[in-house]
Amino acid sequence: MTTFKTLLLAAALVAPAAMTATAADAQVSGIAVADAQGAIANSKAWNAARAQIETTYKAQLDQAETRRQAVARELQPLVTAFQAAQRAPGASEASLRPQAQAIQTRENAANQELARLTQPAQRAQQYAIEQIQAKLSDAVTAAVRAKNVSLLLRPEAALFAQPTADITSAITTELDRLVPTVSTAVPANWQPSQNGQQQGAAPASAPAAATGKRTTPQGR
């Protein structure tokens, strides 16, 4: 099972393997593809910030991981009992509902607890990402100009693209130039921008995902 710290600090900005194995120096002209989140994930500023966050908030993240594991152990017998009840003759949605609701309630409470424990680390992560995102448009513009790109697509929007058509690494290079470092010390009055909240939705939802696969059973 993926550790909580990995889910919190990496899942939101992990570049697909296909995006990292590109020819950074290839000449591109015409149509290209790029993974903006992948470009941020590979930037020096983000990786330094992530390491700093893991160090600064190690105690809280370790505590959250311990609680996640404890909750998983607590939920497992309930899920096993529910699954056995599901297979029993005459099982119905009505008869299974109390067990399902009990598991859902416990899972929701655990997610809220994990969210409280990881909230400082999440804010630091959002703050770091927002500083890099502020330079993303400039980095894209510079990469597009350097590669003679007339149309830039997200990878998922292209039915097919040669590896040399991907300029994600070129955008990362520009980000490293434009924003070599970021701060993880969140100002007391700082609030994520609307754009940052939208693009940083995955980190914010990490505690809910930290229990691994969703354990809440569904009735028949």
Side-chain angles (χ1 to χ4, degrees), residues 98-125:
Q99 286 175 277
Q101 289 178 340
I103 295 171
Q104 178 73 73
T105 298
R106 182 67 188 91
E107 189 178 55
N108 288 343
N111 288 338
Q112 291 173 8
E113 180 183 3
L114 292 176
R116 288 193 297 271
L117 289 171
T118 60
Q119 196 262 351
Q122 287 181 357
R123 278 179 57 80
Q125 175 176 270

mmCIF file of all heavy atoms in Angstrom, residues 98-125:
data_model
loop_
_atom_site.group_PDB
_atom_site.id
_atom_site.type_symbol
_atom_site.label_atom_id
_atom_site.label_comp_id
_atom_site.label_asym_id
_atom_site.label_seq_id
_atom_site.Cartn_x
_atom_site.Cartn_y
_atom_site.Cartn_z
ATOM 1 N N PRO A 98 -27.158 -0.815 7.722
ATOM 2 C CA PRO A 98 -26.540 -0.384 8.992
ATOM 3 C C PRO A 98 -25.038 -0.637 9.035
ATOM 4 O O PRO A 98 -24.273 0.220 9.510
ATOM 5 C CB PRO A 98 -27.283 -1.220 10.037
ATOM 6 C CG PRO A 98 -28.611 -1.501 9.419
ATOM 7 C CD PRO A 98 -28.308 -1.706 7.964
ATOM 8 N N GLN A 99 -24.596 -1.792 8.555
ATOM 9 C CA GLN A 99 -23.167 -2.088 8.547
ATOM 10 C C GLN A 99 -22.416 -1.150 7.605
ATOM 11 O O GLN A 99 -21.345 -0.643 7.937
ATOM 12 C CB GLN A 99 -22.930 -3.543 8.116
ATOM 13 C CG GLN A 99 -23.284 -4.571 9.176
ATOM 14 C CD GLN A 99 -23.130 -5.980 8.637
ATOM 15 O OE1 GLN A 99 -24.030 -6.503 7.982
ATOM 16 N NE2 GLN A 99 -21.992 -6.601 8.899
ATOM 17 N N ALA A 100 -22.998 -0.930 6.436
ATOM 18 C CA ALA A 100 -22.356 -0.048 5.465
ATOM 19 C C ALA A 100 -22.242 1.370 6.012
ATOM 20 O O ALA A 100 -21.212 2.035 5.864
ATOM 21 C CB ALA A 100 -23.139 -0.049 4.161
ATOM 22 N N GLN A 101 -23.300 1.846 6.670
ATOM 23 C CA GLN A 101 -23.280 3.192 7.221
ATOM 24 C C GLN A 101 -22.274 3.322 8.352
ATOM 25 O O GLN A 101 -21.616 4.358 8.498
ATOM 26 C CB GLN A 101 -24.683 3.572 7.698
ATOM 27 C CG GLN A 101 -25.673 3.807 6.560
ATOM 28 C CD GLN A 101 -27.069 4.131 7.056
ATOM 29 O OE1 GLN A 101 -27.429 3.838 8.212
ATOM 30 N NE2 GLN A 101 -27.869 4.730 6.191
ATOM 31 N N ALA A 102 -22.135 2.262 9.160
ATOM 32 C CA ALA A 102 -21.163 2.294 10.252
ATOM 33 C C ALA A 102 -19.742 2.402 9.709
ATOM 34 O O ALA A 102 -18.910 3.161 10.237
ATOM 35 C CB ALA A 102 -21.303 1.033 11.115
ATOM 36 N N ILE A 103 -19.458 1.660 8.648
ATOM 37 C CA ILE A 103 -18.124 1.728 8.035
ATOM 38 C C ILE A 103 -17.898 3.095 7.415
ATOM 39 O O ILE A 103 -16.831 3.701 7.561
ATOM 40 C CB ILE A 103 -17.975 0.615 6.975
ATOM 41 C CG1 ILE A 103 -18.031 -0.762 7.649
ATOM 42 C CG2 ILE A 103 -16.664 0.778 6.211
ATOM 43 C CD1 ILE A 103 -18.113 -1.919 6.681
ATOM 44 N N GLN A 104 -18.917 3.623 6.722
ATOM 45 C CA GLN A 104 -18.805 4.944 6.098
ATOM 46 C C GLN A 104 -18.548 6.026 7.138
ATOM 47 O O GLN A 104 -17.696 6.912 6.951
ATOM 48 C CB GLN A 104 -20.083 5.263 5.333
ATOM 49 C CG GLN A 104 -20.102 6.643 4.686
ATOM 50 C CD GLN A 104 -19.193 6.718 3.479
ATOM 51 O OE1 GLN A 104 -19.502 6.162 2.437
ATOM 52 N NE2 GLN A 104 -18.064 7.388 3.627
ATOM 53 N N THR A 105 -19.261 5.964 8.247
ATOM 54 C CA THR A 105 -19.099 6.958 9.303
ATOM 55 C C THR A 105 -17.686 6.927 9.869
ATOM 56 O O THR A 105 -17.060 7.968 10.087
ATOM 57 C CB THR A 105 -20.122 6.710 10.418
ATOM 58 O OG1 THR A 105 -21.440 6.852 9.885
ATOM 59 C CG2 THR A 105 -19.942 7.709 11.555
ATOM 60 N N ARG A 106 -17.175 5.713 10.120
ATOM 61 C CA ARG A 106 -15.828 5.586 10.674
ATOM 62 C C ARG A 106 -14.780 6.068 9.676
ATOM 63 O O ARG A 106 -13.799 6.730 10.045
ATOM 64 C CB ARG A 106 -15.553 4.116 11.038
ATOM 65 C CG ARG A 106 -14.177 3.898 11.676
ATOM 66 C CD ARG A 106 -14.117 4.567 13.033
ATOM 67 N NE ARG A 106 -12.774 4.559 13.599
ATOM 68 C CZ ARG A 106 -11.882 5.532 13.418
ATOM 69 N NH1 ARG A 106 -12.192 6.605 12.671
ATOM 70 N NH2 ARG A 106 -10.694 5.460 13.973
ATOM 71 N N GLU A 107 -14.977 5.772 8.416
ATOM 72 C CA GLU A 107 -14.040 6.197 7.391
ATOM 73 C C GLU A 107 -14.032 7.716 7.242
ATOM 74 O O GLU A 107 -12.978 8.330 7.122
ATOM 75 C CB GLU A 107 -14.391 5.537 6.060
ATOM 76 C CG GLU A 107 -13.341 5.746 4.976
ATOM 77 C CD GLU A 107 -13.719 5.035 3.680
ATOM 78 O OE1 GLU A 107 -14.834 5.289 3.172
ATOM 79 O OE2 GLU A 107 -12.933 4.223 3.201
ATOM 80 N N ASN A 108 -15.210 8.322 7.263
ATOM 81 C CA ASN A 108 -15.292 9.787 7.155
ATOM 82 C C ASN A 108 -14.600 10.463 8.328
ATOM 83 O O ASN A 108 -13.895 11.465 8.155
ATOM 84 C CB ASN A 108 -16.762 10.224 7.095
ATOM 85 C CG ASN A 108 -17.417 9.868 5.770
ATOM 86 O OD1 ASN A 108 -16.739 9.578 4.791
ATOM 87 N ND2 ASN A 108 -18.745 9.884 5.736
ATOM 88 N N ALA A 109 -14.795 9.916 9.536
ATOM 89 C CA ALA A 109 -14.151 10.492 10.716
ATOM 90 C C ALA A 109 -12.632 10.384 10.609
ATOM 91 O O ALA A 109 -11.901 11.320 10.970
ATOM 92 C CB ALA A 109 -14.648 9.783 11.973
ATOM 93 N N ALA A 110 -12.163 9.254 10.102
ATOM 94 C CA ALA A 110 -10.721 9.070 9.934
ATOM 95 C C ALA A 110 -10.159 10.052 8.922
ATOM 96 O O ALA A 110 -9.082 10.637 9.127
ATOM 97 C CB ALA A 110 -10.430 7.639 9.502
ATOM 98 N N ASN A 111 -10.867 10.250 7.826
ATOM 99 C CA ASN A 111 -10.406 11.183 6.802
ATOM 100 C C ASN A 111 -10.320 12.608 7.341
ATOM 101 O O ASN A 111 -9.393 13.356 7.025
ATOM 102 C CB ASN A 111 -11.334 11.134 5.589
ATOM 103 C CG ASN A 111 -11.180 9.848 4.790
ATOM 104 O OD1 ASN A 111 -10.160 9.184 4.874
ATOM 105 N ND2 ASN A 111 -12.200 9.500 4.025
ATOM 106 N N GLN A 112 -11.291 12.987 8.169
ATOM 107 C CA GLN A 112 -11.268 14.319 8.771
ATOM 108 C C GLN A 112 -10.087 14.462 9.723
ATOM 109 O O GLN A 112 -9.425 15.512 9.778
ATOM 110 C CB GLN A 112 -12.586 14.578 9.495
ATOM 111 C CG GLN A 112 -13.778 14.733 8.561
ATOM 112 C CD GLN A 112 -15.099 14.825 9.300
ATOM 113 O OE1 GLN A 112 -15.126 14.925 10.531
ATOM 114 N NE2 GLN A 112 -16.200 14.779 8.563
ATOM 115 N N GLU A 113 -9.811 13.397 10.472
ATOM 116 C CA GLU A 113 -8.680 13.424 11.396
ATOM 117 C C GLU A 113 -7.358 13.550 10.633
ATOM 118 O O GLU A 113 -6.492 14.345 10.999
ATOM 119 C CB GLU A 113 -8.670 12.147 12.231
ATOM 120 C CG GLU A 113 -7.518 12.083 13.236
ATOM 121 C CD GLU A 113 -7.492 10.774 14.011
ATOM 122 O OE1 GLU A 113 -8.321 9.889 13.730
ATOM 123 O OE2 GLU A 113 -6.613 10.642 14.886
ATOM 124 N N LEU A 114 -7.221 12.787 9.558
ATOM 125 C CA LEU A 114 -6.002 12.860 8.760
ATOM 126 C C LEU A 114 -5.855 14.236 8.102
ATOM 127 O O LEU A 114 -4.750 14.759 7.984
ATOM 128 C CB LEU A 114 -6.022 11.773 7.686
ATOM 129 C CG LEU A 114 -5.917 10.325 8.188
ATOM 130 C CD1 LEU A 114 -6.046 9.347 7.034
ATOM 131 C CD2 LEU A 114 -4.621 10.101 8.940
ATOM 132 N N ALA A 115 -6.970 14.808 7.689
ATOM 133 C CA ALA A 115 -6.927 16.139 7.084
ATOM 134 C C ALA A 115 -6.414 17.174 8.084
ATOM 135 O O ALA A 115 -5.630 18.067 7.723
ATOM 136 C CB ALA A 115 -8.312 16.530 6.576
ATOM 137 N N ARG A 116 -6.837 17.063 9.332
ATOM 138 C CA ARG A 116 -6.358 17.997 10.363
ATOM 139 C C ARG A 116 -4.860 17.828 10.595
ATOM 140 O O ARG A 116 -4.123 18.808 10.737
ATOM 141 C CB ARG A 116 -7.127 17.788 11.674
ATOM 142 C CG ARG A 116 -8.568 18.269 11.632
ATOM 143 C CD ARG A 116 -9.154 18.326 13.042
ATOM 144 N NE ARG A 116 -9.200 17.002 13.667
ATOM 145 C CZ ARG A 116 -10.214 16.154 13.555
ATOM 146 N NH1 ARG A 116 -11.265 16.481 12.818
ATOM 147 N NH2 ARG A 116 -10.190 14.993 14.173
ATOM 148 N N LEU A 117 -4.411 16.588 10.644
ATOM 149 C CA LEU A 117 -2.998 16.324 10.909
ATOM 150 C C LEU A 117 -2.097 16.830 9.785
ATOM 151 O O LEU A 117 -0.979 17.299 10.024
ATOM 152 C CB LEU A 117 -2.773 14.820 11.109
ATOM 153 C CG LEU A 117 -3.320 14.213 12.403
ATOM 154 C CD1 LEU A 117 -3.217 12.684 12.359
ATOM 155 C CD2 LEU A 117 -2.553 14.751 13.616
ATOM 156 N N THR A 118 -2.571 16.726 8.566
ATOM 157 C CA THR A 118 -1.732 17.061 7.412
ATOM 158 C C THR A 118 -1.976 18.465 6.874
ATOM 159 O O THR A 118 -1.316 18.879 5.922
ATOM 160 C CB THR A 118 -1.963 16.049 6.272
ATOM 161 O OG1 THR A 118 -3.350 16.079 5.882
ATOM 162 C CG2 THR A 118 -1.595 14.634 6.701
ATOM 163 N N GLN A 119 -2.894 19.195 7.475
ATOM 164 C CA GLN A 119 -3.248 20.508 6.941
ATOM 165 C C GLN A 119 -2.062 21.464 6.832
ATOM 166 O O GLN A 119 -1.900 22.134 5.806
ATOM 167 C CB GLN A 119 -4.362 21.121 7.792
ATOM 168 C CG GLN A 119 -5.079 22.290 7.145
ATOM 169 C CD GLN A 119 -4.545 23.638 7.619
ATOM 170 O OE1 GLN A 119 -3.743 23.690 8.553
ATOM 171 N NE2 GLN A 119 -5.001 24.707 6.992
ATOM 172 N N PRO A 120 -1.160 21.524 7.831
ATOM 173 C CA PRO A 120 0.002 22.425 7.664
ATOM 174 C C PRO A 120 0.887 22.026 6.487
ATOM 175 O O PRO A 120 1.351 22.894 5.741
ATOM 176 C CB PRO A 120 0.744 22.265 9.003
ATOM 177 C CG PRO A 120 -0.307 21.830 9.977
ATOM 178 C CD PRO A 120 -1.217 20.933 9.187
ATOM 179 N N ALA A 121 1.116 20.734 6.309
ATOM 180 C CA ALA A 121 1.938 20.285 5.189
ATOM 181 C C ALA A 121 1.250 20.554 3.862
ATOM 182 O O ALA A 121 1.901 20.929 2.870
ATOM 183 C CB ALA A 121 2.250 18.788 5.327
ATOM 184 N N GLN A 122 -0.058 20.390 3.831
ATOM 185 C CA GLN A 122 -0.804 20.659 2.606
ATOM 186 C C GLN A 122 -0.727 22.126 2.221
ATOM 187 O O GLN A 122 -0.566 22.464 1.041
ATOM 188 C CB GLN A 122 -2.267 20.234 2.772
ATOM 189 C CG GLN A 122 -2.462 18.730 2.771
ATOM 190 C CD GLN A 122 -3.927 18.366 2.923
ATOM 191 O OE1 GLN A 122 -4.782 19.234 3.078
ATOM 192 N NE2 GLN A 122 -4.218 17.089 2.879
ATOM 193 N N ARG A 123 -0.839 23.011 3.204
ATOM 194 C CA ARG A 123 -0.751 24.445 2.920
ATOM 195 C C ARG A 123 0.637 24.799 2.382
ATOM 196 O O ARG A 123 0.762 25.591 1.435
ATOM 197 C CB ARG A 123 -1.054 25.259 4.175
ATOM 198 C CG ARG A 123 -2.538 25.435 4.425
ATOM 199 C CD ARG A 123 -2.806 26.229 5.715
ATOM 200 N NE ARG A 123 -2.179 27.535 5.718
ATOM 201 C CZ ARG A 123 -2.655 28.611 5.103
ATOM 202 N NH1 ARG A 123 -3.784 28.523 4.402
ATOM 203 N NH2 ARG A 123 -2.038 29.771 5.185
ATOM 204 N N ALA A 124 1.671 24.223 2.976
ATOM 205 C CA ALA A 124 3.029 24.486 2.505
ATOM 206 C C ALA A 124 3.190 23.989 1.075
ATOM 207 O O ALA A 124 3.818 24.646 0.233
ATOM 208 C CB ALA A 124 4.046 23.810 3.425
ATOM 209 N N GLN A 125 2.615 22.838 0.788
ATOM 210 C CA GLN A 125 2.688 22.289 -0.563
ATOM 211 C C GLN A 125 1.970 23.189 -1.560
ATOM 212 O O GLN A 125 2.493 23.498 -2.635
ATOM 213 C CB GLN A 125 2.061 20.899 -0.583
ATOM 214 C CG GLN A 125 1.982 20.280 -1.974
ATOM 215 C CD GLN A 125 1.441 18.870 -1.942
ATOM 216 O OE1 GLN A 125 2.196 17.927 -1.818
ATOM 217 N NE2 GLN A 125 0.134 18.732 -2.034
#
